[in-house]
């Protein structure tokens, strides 16, 4: 399924929007016979639920050979990678926009990522997601309690 166009910082050209899911191409593929592009998951799902006896292109309804589906041209892939996208944690306050090809790195580093591990401030060396850190009973605390 494609990437929600509302996450992109600027207007997204219709040439990179999948006609099946209406999102920006995610892992785009091309049908060799006609040159039409789709998200890989979208076209595979379309072909798994046949409307006609033979596989057809969802756009022009011409017959296609499933084996002719190939990765989208490099220029399309490069264009999509450079599109500026908002962080998925924007609703929690992240204001960062990054090129699509850097969004996974940003997700892992985003300080507002609720699943990003944070180190224990008491010094035990353990790193846990913030929600789990709230219930963390540090071994060093146990040692301190034993001294009292």
């Amino acid at each position: 399924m494609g990437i929600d166009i509302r996450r992109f910082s600027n207007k997204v050209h219709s040439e990179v929007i999948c006609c099946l899911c209406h999102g920006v191409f995610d892992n785009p593929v091309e049908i060799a016979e006609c040159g039409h592009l789709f998200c890989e998951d979208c076209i595979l799902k379309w072909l798994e639920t046949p409307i006609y006896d033979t596989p057809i292109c969802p756009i022009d309804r011409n017959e296609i050979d499933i084996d002719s589906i190939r990765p989208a041209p490099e220029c399309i892939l490069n264009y999509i990678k450079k599109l500026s996208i908002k962080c998925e944690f924007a609703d929690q306050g992240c204001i960062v926009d990054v090129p699509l090809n850097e969004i996974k790195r940003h997700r892992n580093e985003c300080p507002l990522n609720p699943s990003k591990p944070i180190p224990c401030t008491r010094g035990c060396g353990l790193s846990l997601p913030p929600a789990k850190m709230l219930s963390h009973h540090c071994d060093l605390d146990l040692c301190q309690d034993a001294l009292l």
Side-chain angles (χ1 to χ4, degrees):
M1 291 298 179
I3 305 161
D4 187 346
I5 60 172
R6 294 175 292 188
R7 288 197 53 209
F8 291 87
S9 306
N10 299 315
K11 182 180 185 280
V12 177
H13 295 283
S14 61
E15 290 84 5
V16 294
I17 296 177
C18 177
C19 71
L20 295 173
C21 69
H22 307 288
V24 172
F25 292 131
D26 186 20
N27 198 21
V29 293
E30 176 183 41
I31 296 176
E33 289 91 350
C34 58
H36 292 129
L37 301 168
F38 306 92
C39 299
E40 182 178 35
D41 288 345
C42 293
I43 192 64
L44 293 178
K45 185 176 179 181
W46 166 268
L47 294 170
E48 286 172 3
T49 53
I51 297 173
Y52 304 98
D53 294 334
T54 58
I56 61 165
C57 172
I59 294 176
D60 60 24
R61 304 286 194 222
N62 288 326
E63 230 177 274
I64 61 170
D65 177 8
I66 295 173
D67 295 329
S68 74
I69 296 174
R70 60 188 180 203
E74 197 68 30
C75 60
I76 298 291
L77 298 173
N78 289 335
Y79 176 78
I80 293 171
K81 287 179 191 176
K82 293 177 184 175
L83 290 174
S84 186
I85 189 168
K86 296 174 188 168
C87 175
E88 67 187 89
F89 307 114
D91 58 341
Q92 288 141 4
C94 185
I95 58 169
V96 173
D97 289 352
V98 295
L100 185 60
N101 65 331
E102 293 180 24
I103 196 67
K104 288 181 183 175
R105 178 197 54 77
H106 172 74
R107 182 187 197 286
N108 293 334
E109 296 173 2
C110 182
L112 297 172
N113 180 343
S115 62
K116 179 184 175 190
I118 56 173
C120 175
T121 58
R122 295 182 204 105
C124 70
L126 189 65
S127 289
L128 294 170
K132 291 189 178 189
M133 189 57 78
L134 293 173
S135 61
H136 170 57
H137 298 291
C138 185
D139 292 340
L140 293 177
D141 286 346
L142 298 175
C143 293
Q144 293 295 326
D145 290 344
L147 292 174
L148 298 176

